[in-house]
Amino acid sequence: MSKAKVLLVGMGGVGSIAAYSLEIAGKSEVTAVVRSDYDTLIKEGFELQSCDFGKVDVFRPTNICKSVGEAVSKHGPFDFVVFTMKNTPDVQPLNPFIEECYHDDLGIVLLQNGYGIHKAVLEEFPSAYVISGVTMISSTLYGRTVKQVAPESVKVGVCDNGKTDYGKQEKKCKEFIELYSTDKNDVTFDENVNYTRWRKLVYNATVNSSCALTNVDIGRLELFGGIDSIVRPAMAEVLAIAKSDGVELPESIMEFMIRSDDGEWYAPSMLVDIRKGNYTEYQVILGNALDVAKENGIAAPVLTVLYNLLHVIQWRTMEEKHRFTLPEKRPLPQDNFKIEFK
């Protein structure tokens, strides 16, 4: 029996464990698209320090490419494309990547943070098989070392396109679950993707954002008073917005998320991005949720402040990465100055 061909875009903390899970399950041939860490992965491979798989000195996926186009030309067509790259639509939308590998039977797996991330995909590819993957894993990449401190649990469900028979969409989704499942991880079919996305947002929109803005891990955030002053009020706003969207989350989820990294000085993903000088996923994590709040008339002052501060930091990062150049003389409001991207 031939192996399924899986294209995986993004070999960070989540992507590396996903690639390893797919490879070790033995039913997939993984082609990874890697950008900044390409040379490291080719020459040295990644070291995994995983609570699920133990210590793996050197790991490389079957194939490694620098772009989706190169991957398709050398190893395509693919049965699934799995996006584990940072979801930053304000910087790099997913749809151009999808265009390069798309065909009618392709499974598009969004193993990424955020809420409502499938909508832009279905706007351009209305009959696509879009699969939502929500992972709880606590895994980070530093240098060539991937450290995973919490067992991988993944909820996988259908983002119904409303055009293709739902049974076919569910079948495609369950095919991916079969490829991804090992005796170490917990990968299950999720009938309510919307609920699961909001549930994870209780952590990401609050703990993740607060750690990023204060430049402290969750342990220090708690010891320094940030949990009670920032995180809990923000979590209450997430629950209120979710309820307006038809999702009733129990209040107990707040304490569960706060305690989810107990025993570790854990730095959440956005904090890692800030420390590396990378872009953050503030738009899909906070911005999309605030769009729902605005539409449904829900007040969210804490989340709004977190969003606006992260927005400024995102633009600071764009300037540092030379996406635009500012004039030597500071423009004033009456100058009607507009930033032009390179």
Side-chain angles (χ1 to χ4, degrees), residues 191-316:
E191 293 184 353
N192 193 342
V193 173
N194 203 39
Y195 180 95
T196 306
R197 287 271 169 196
W198 277 115
R199 183 180 184 275
K200 188 172 182 181
L201 220 63
V202 173
Y203 180 97
N204 273 335
T206 61
V207 174
N208 207 346
S209 298
S210 299
C211 288
L213 287 165
T214 57
N215 195 23
V216 298
D217 57 59
I218 183 173
R220 288 174 174 82
L221 187 71
E222 181 171 43
L223 289 173
F224 300 165
I227 294 295
D228 288 334
S229 62
I230 305 170
V231 170
R232 291 186 193 278
M235 283 183 169
E237 292 178 6
V238 174
L239 264 61
I241 301 168
K243 186 175 181 179
S244 78
D245 197 43
V247 173
E248 189 88 37
L249 293 164
E251 286 193 13
S252 60
I253 193 65
M254 296 167 61
E255 194 64 23
F256 174 83
M257 291 299 181
I258 290 168
R259 302 265 68 90
S260 63
D261 297 312
D262 277 3
E264 297 285 340
W265 297 107
Y266 181 67
S269 61
M270 278 202 283
L271 172 56
V272 174
D273 290 332
I274 292 290
R275 288 175 171 175
K276 288 183 174 181
N278 292 338
Y279 298 116
T280 68
E281 298 176 294
Y282 83 107
Q283 188 62 53
V284 295
I285 288 175
L286 283 161
N288 289 359
L290 287 170
D291 286 343
V292 176
K294 184 177 181 180
E295 182 179 341
N296 295 340
I298 305 299
V302 180
L303 294 175
T304 299
V305 170
L306 294 176
Y307 171 84
N308 287 331
L309 291 172
L310 285 166
H311 175 80
V312 173
I313 290 174
Q314 192 87 324
W315 281 70
R316 181 191 71 191

Side-chain angles (χ1 to χ4, degrees), residues 8 38 57-58 110 153 206 217 229 262 278 282 303 311-312 318 323 334 338:
L8 186 139
Y38 177 85
D57 291 328
V58 179
L110 306 179
S153 174
T206 61
D217 57 59
S229 62
D262 277 3
N278 292 338
Y282 83 107
L303 294 175
H311 175 80
V312 173
M318 289 182 188
R323 291 287 305 278
Q334 60 266 31
K338 292 184 179 180

Side-chain angles (χ1 to χ4, degrees), residues 21-42:
S21 297
L22 286 162
E23 293 272 17
I24 204 170
K27 299 174 183 177
S28 305
E29 174 186 291
V30 176
T31 298
V33 173
V34 188
R35 292 167 292 179
S36 58
D37 294 308
Y38 177 85
D39 290 338
T40 300
L41 193 56
I42 288 288

Side-chain angles (χ1 to χ4, degrees), residues 59-110:
F59 169 63
R60 297 182 186 88
T62 301
N63 306 305
I64 304 169
C65 297
K66 287 185 175 180
S67 68
V68 173
E70 178 191 351
V72 171
S73 64
K74 290 183 177 179
H75 309 291
F78 295 97
D79 300 292
F80 292 91
V81 56
V82 182
F83 287 100
T84 52
M85 61 184 279
K86 296 294 180 183
N87 197 334
T88 54
D90 52 322
V91 178
Q92 178 60 76
L94 295 184
N95 285 354
F97 294 113
I98 297 174
E99 288 173 2
E100 293 187 273
C101 63
Y102 187 76
H103 57 81
D104 289 344
D105 200 42
L106 178 70
I108 302 169
V109 184
L110 306 179

